[in-house]
Amino acid sequence: MIRSLAAVGAAALLSSFVHVPAFAAVVGVSSVSSLQTAIDSARPGQRLVLANGVHVADQPIKITRSGITVAAQTVGGTVFTSGGFELGDVKNVTVEGFVFDGTSTLSVPPGAQAARITRNTYNGNKNGASLSVGADDVQVDHNTFSNRTNEGVYLQVTGPGSDIAKRTWIHHNYFYNHQFSGSNGGESIRLGYSHKQSKSANAIVEHNLFEKADGDAEAISIKSSDNTVRYNTIRNSKGYIVLRHGHRTTVEGNLLFNSGIRFHGNDHKIYNNYVENTRGRAMVFGSGKEADSGPTSKLHDRPDRVTVAFNTLIGTGAVVDSDGGDFKPKDCVLANNIIKGSSGGVVSMHSGSTVKYEGNVIWGGTGGSMPSSGYRSADPKLVKDAGGLFRLASGSPAIDASTGSYSYVSRDFDPQARSGKPDVGADEYSTSAIRKALTKADVGPSAP
């Protein structure tokens, strides 16, 4: 039968809109060798899936194709005990759902731009970092890093040569039980290096949970500039959030229990943080072994022009303290914080520090080294909510009591909008509490 011209034209038109894949969108493989073969011939958009089971590789699998996803058959069901993955000069690659046990690991070198490392588990001791990120625009999310006892960090952000990896986004990860017993070198996150401190990483570290981060005094160690550390939860950890080197980092809205914040460097903004540390120091103004660090210096830098404002700080003894270096904090600000101690002076700033104090509310101790003009002693009427956070009660003297202008503090730690004259401390009084500390259900490979 001869088809009409109209029918032929309609068929041709229809075929121009119908996409017939020239390759399989999902490719399942059963072994490490077959996965390497599949990767080497993969095309953008393909998802390569390695079967569940324990896999042993003599060397890392090389990811040589851009735009692909390499995934476990089920999250947590595909385990490497050696080998792992190494990304080449690729873009837009996702590695998803694997368990890296034993000596296995994963590296993202500078050539692997815009990679995503998601829903993996890094368990046990490794040689060096459990995960190293050297490329720009890498997302590290919903992973677990756990049970390490040797020197080395869980997550290291590096970069090419003397530069730093840019715009790393680290979120919804679970960092657990780092028990390295040495004096240094067991951080959960090290963002940069001392010799890269002047480089602007523009990284965001947010919504991560840290528990038993005891491998170093620095759970989050910032050694670069222009970063944001916000909405993380740290529990029962030797490690603090530490701005060790670099400038202009924002530390906002973190919930810290038996941990704290310490800083060096210039022009940081530290606000809306909640620190409840029954061990003592909640906020530490670092002193320096030099006034201003050079670009490759490893010495502690004096903090200049750092603002610590609208935090709720609960501790014992000197809740706000300073280190004992020769170069004292200069032109810093301690403003509109609730500082609750147990006895003695709640602020201990070494002689020679130049700090502007205003609007603070203290309770459970004296002002210590803080001049009387910088605070008032009053019970802030903190009450514990259902989630275990101390918040302002109705009638608190901290309500509408802030002084000075801090326009960038437009929200509280929930975050809810601050209205009118902001309240002192991390919490803007409200009858509808929103924020809760993160739990294991909120982070890691199985979280939403």
Side-chain angles (χ1 to χ4, degrees), residues 3-297:
R3 301 172 64 189
S4 69
L5 291 176
V8 172
L13 181 63
L14 179 62
S15 68
S16 69
F17 286 98
V18 175
H19 173 68
V20 179
F23 58 90
V26 178
V27 177
V29 298
S30 60
S31 67
V32 168
S33 59
S34 57
L35 177 59
Q36 184 68 74
T37 300
I39 289 172
D40 291 342
S41 60
R43 299 179 62 175
Q46 282 189 310
R47 183 179 179 88
L48 311 180
V49 178
L50 180 60
N52 285 346
V54 177
H55 297 269
V56 179
D58 294 333
Q59 57 187 4
I61 298 166
K62 309 290 186 181
I63 299 180
T64 56
R65 298 285 182 167
S66 294
I68 65 172
T69 295
V70 181
Q73 182 180 351
T74 59
V75 171
T78 304
V79 180
F80 284 96
T81 57
S82 61
F85 292 101
E86 180 179 334
L87 278 67
D89 292 339
V90 293
K91 292 184 178 180
N92 300 307
V93 164
T94 297
V95 179
E96 178 182 343
F98 295 95
V99 176
F100 297 98
D101 273 343
T103 60
S104 65
T105 188
L106 167 66
S107 62
V108 185
Q113 303 294 299
R116 183 182 183 190
I117 310 301
T118 184
R119 302 193 184 278
N120 303 286
T121 296
Y122 303 83
N123 192 48
N125 293 338
K126 311 292 182 187
N127 182 16
S130 298
L131 172 61
S132 179
V133 173
D136 292 346
D137 301 301
V138 174
Q139 182 179 177
V140 180
D141 68 285
H142 293 91
N143 302 283
T144 287
F145 300 82
S146 60
N147 299 321
R148 185 164 182 157
T149 60
N150 69 331
E151 184 175 1
V153 304
Y154 278 141
L155 173 58
Q156 172 72 63
V157 178
T158 60
S162 62
D163 207 352
I164 188 75
K166 306 292 195 301
R167 297 175 296 279
T168 310
W169 183 20
I170 303 165
H171 65 96
H172 291 95
N173 301 285
Y174 183 37
F175 297 89
Y176 173 70
N177 195 33
H178 200 321
Q179 297 298 322
F180 174 56
S181 59
S183 60
N184 186 43
E187 300 93 330
S188 292
I189 298 176
R190 186 194 291 146
L191 209 171
Y193 290 107
S194 296
H195 67 275
K196 298 186 179 188
Q197 61 185 276
S198 63
K199 304 296 182 180
S200 296
N202 296 117
I204 298 175
V205 181
E206 62 181 353
H207 302 294
N208 302 284
L209 172 60
F210 302 77
E211 293 184 309
K212 296 184 178 180
D214 298 329
D216 194 280
E218 304 177 8
I220 303 175
S221 180
I222 304 298
K223 295 185 175 182
S224 54
S225 296
D226 299 294
N227 301 293
T228 299
V229 181
R230 64 190 181 193
Y231 307 128
N232 302 283
T233 297
I234 302 181
R235 288 188 180 278
N236 299 320
S237 295
K238 170 184 172 182
Y240 280 33
I241 296 174
V242 178
L243 309 184
R244 175 62 176 83
H245 268 315
H247 312 298
R248 301 177 301 277
T249 283
T250 295
V251 180
E252 175 191 2
N254 300 281
L255 304 181
L256 310 182
F257 305 89
N258 286 327
S259 179
I261 299 169
R262 175 167 59 91
F263 56 86
H264 302 266
N266 304 337
D267 302 300
H268 306 303
K269 292 182 173 64
I270 301 172
Y271 61 93
N272 284 345
N273 299 283
Y274 176 98
V275 187
E276 186 181 345
N277 191 348
T278 59
R279 300 171 184 171
R281 306 192 302 175
M283 183 73 64
V284 182
F285 283 66
S287 295
K289 291 187 177 179
E290 55 189 353
D292 288 294
S293 293
T296 61
S297 174

Side-chain angles (χ1 to χ4, degrees), residues 340-361:
K340 185 176 183 298
S342 58
S343 63
V346 298
V347 175
S348 177
M349 207 69 63
H350 287 289
S351 176
S353 304
T354 56
V355 179
K356 176 183 178 182
Y357 302 94
E358 64 177 0
N360 299 288
V361 172

